[in-house]
């Protein structure tokens, strides 16, 4: 059942936009532990490296995973471009050059909270290939977003991407406690699988197996299409709501997962007038 499930997952990843994916493994742990497992595998490949270059995203898991692996985070603060927070590529390259032999990997993010936008994966992948540095992608809930999957696919073709990690519950509506580690080299994924110590519950695999068989490829396509339509509808409704309170929805077109809403000092002090909203 495990092999059949991973075969279906591989088809999902390729169908969702990352056609270059060669292999994947379903782990009975949540996303943070899957990132930790991936980092531990990378440490086996490069035992003298202990620094992780990390374009900042405000999620505690992204900090805890490298720290649990005994790594030092080199934080890259984002640039503000318009309303969007984007990757500071210049600083990423500077840190690679400065700490080159000590850099375990660059850990980037696709799915994130607006106004943060997905990292510039293709450019970072090209830097990783140029300097021979591993590249780990946190794609926690990116399977449902064609832009995120397309970015990963292009990055793997034009540069270096070692592994990318995603959550089962965030993408497939199953209970919390499972994740997928995927990559572009079958040997890497086989080694990651062997890095996981001991035995684990079969529940995440069973839940995913049943879910994928239940929805089928057509059902999955319909859900992905529906999510895109709902996102557009949400944006329109939020824009309408924003006008009522002299606020606005931030313009972050490269983030097709989440939306951000301004909150002025006037509304912070006075609170929202719910009667006005009901009208």
């Amino acid at each position: 059942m495990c092999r059949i499930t991973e075969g279906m997952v591989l088809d999902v990843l390729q169908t969702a936009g990352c056609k270059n994916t060669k292999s994947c493994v379903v782990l009975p742990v949540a996303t943070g532990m899957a990132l930790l497992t991936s980092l531990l595998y990378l440490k086996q490949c490069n035992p003298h490296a202990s620094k992780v270059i990390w374009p900042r995203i405000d999620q505690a898991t992204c900090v805890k995973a490298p720290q649990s692996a005994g790594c030092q985070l080199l934080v890259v603060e984002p640039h503000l471009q318009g309303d969007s927070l984007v990757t500071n590529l210049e600083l990423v390259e500077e840190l690679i050059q400065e700490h080159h032999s000590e850099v375990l990997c660059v850990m980037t993010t696709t799915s994130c909270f607006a106004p943060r936008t997905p990292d510039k994966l293709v450019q970072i992948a090209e830097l990783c290939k140029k300097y021979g540095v591993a590249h780990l992608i946190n794609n926690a809930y990116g399977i449902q977003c064609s832009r995120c999957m397309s970015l990963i696919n292009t990055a793997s073709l034009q540069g270096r991407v070692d592994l990318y990690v995603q959550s089962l519950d965030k993408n497939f509506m199953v209970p919390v406690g499972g994740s997928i580690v995927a990559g572009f080299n079958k040997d890497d994924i086989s080694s990651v699988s062997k890095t996981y110590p001991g035995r684990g519950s079969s529940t995440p695999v069973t839940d995913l197996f049943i879910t994928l068989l239940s929805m089928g490829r057509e059902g999955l396509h319909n859900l992905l299409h529906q999510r895109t339509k709902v996102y557009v509808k949400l944006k329109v409704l939020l824009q309408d709501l924003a006008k009522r309170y002299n606020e606005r929805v931030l313009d972050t077109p490269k983030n097709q997962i989440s939306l951000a809403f301004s909150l002025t000092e006037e509304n912070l002090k006075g609170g929202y007038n719910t009667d006005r909203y009901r009208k």
Side-chain angles (χ1 to χ4, degrees):
M1 184 174 67
C2 195
R3 292 289 175 265
I4 294 173
T5 303
E6 289 172 353
M8 289 192 291
V9 170
L10 180 60
D11 182 68
V12 168
L13 296 174
Q14 294 171 341
T15 302
C18 198
K19 300 181 186 296
N20 194 37
T21 304
K22 296 297 189 295
S23 184
C24 64
V25 60
V26 178
L27 297 178
V29 293
T31 312
M33 290 299 291
L35 287 170
L36 171 59
T37 302
S38 301
L39 287 166
L40 291 175
Y41 163 66
L42 293 177
K43 286 197 77 172
Q44 289 179 8
C45 300
N46 190 1
H48 300 295
S50 60
K51 295 183 178 180
V52 174
I53 297 173
W54 173 61
R56 177 181 167 182
I57 178 170
D58 290 339
Q59 292 177 336
T61 293
C62 302
V63 177
K64 292 178 181 178
Q67 289 179 340
S68 298
C71 297
Q72 177 187 349
L73 275 178
L74 302 178
V75 181
V76 178
E77 295 290 345
H79 277 317
L80 181 63
Q81 289 184 356
D83 288 336
S84 300
L85 290 169
V86 302
T87 314
N88 186 338
L89 282 174
E90 294 76 13
L91 184 54
V92 170
E93 184 167 19
E94 286 177 14
L95 289 172
I96 292 176
Q97 292 173 337
E98 182 180 351
H99 303 276
H100 185 261
S101 62
E102 300 176 283
V103 175
L104 178 65
C105 70
V106 179
M107 187 170 73
T108 55
T109 307
T110 55
S111 51
C112 51
F113 303 125
R116 181 72 155 74
T117 58
D119 281 316
K120 297 179 180 179
L121 296 190
V122 177
Q123 295 91 326
I124 290 177
E126 290 172 345
L127 289 176
C128 290
K129 182 178 181 179
K130 175 181 177 181
Y131 292 103
V133 172
H135 185 188
L136 171 63
I137 299 176
N138 176 8
N139 188 48
Y141 42 104
I143 295 176
Q144 59 192 281
C145 179
S146 59
R147 175 174 173 76
C148 291
M149 297 301 285
S150 178
L151 279 173
I152 296 172
N153 192 63
T154 304
S156 72
L157 292 170
Q158 296 187 15
R160 175 172 177 173
V161 178
D162 294 76
L163 305 166
Y164 67 102
V165 176
Q166 37 271 305
S167 164
L168 292 189
D169 58 279
K170 295 180 181 70
N171 292 288
F172 299 104
M173 301 175 290
V174 295
V176 176
S179 58
I180 301 164
V181 179
F184 309 94
N185 183 305
K186 291 183 179 181
D187 291 339
D188 285 341
I189 300 303
S190 176
S191 297
V192 169
S193 178
K194 293 173 183 177
T195 301
Y196 180 80
R199 294 173 291 177
S201 171
S202 64
T203 301
V205 173
T206 304
D207 288 340
L208 184 59
F209 177 77
I210 294 170
T211 300
L212 291 177
L213 283 181
S214 176
M215 68 172 58
R217 182 180 286 179
E218 183 177 348
L220 176 65
H221 284 184
N222 290 339
L223 285 172
L224 293 174
H225 181 63
Q226 182 183 13
R227 191 208 72 85
T228 303
K229 292 175 64 177
V230 169
Y231 175 84
V232 174
K233 183 177 181 180
L234 173 63
K235 185 174 183 178
V236 171
L237 292 174
L238 275 177
Q239 287 171 334
D240 180 58
L241 178 62
K243 290 178 182 178
R244 303 184 195 183
Y245 294 96
N246 297 318
E247 302 288 357
R248 65 189 184 90
V249 175
L250 302 186
D251 184 25
T252 56
K254 292 185 178 180
N255 187 331
Q256 297 177 9
I257 286 279
S258 65
L259 295 161
F261 193 95
S262 69
L263 189 58
T264 59
E265 188 175 350
E266 179 184 354
N267 281 319
L268 277 172
K269 287 182 177 179
Y272 285 119
N273 185 337
T274 54
D275 291 334
R276 185 180 175 191
Y277 170 71
R278 291 192 184 97
K279 293 177 183 179

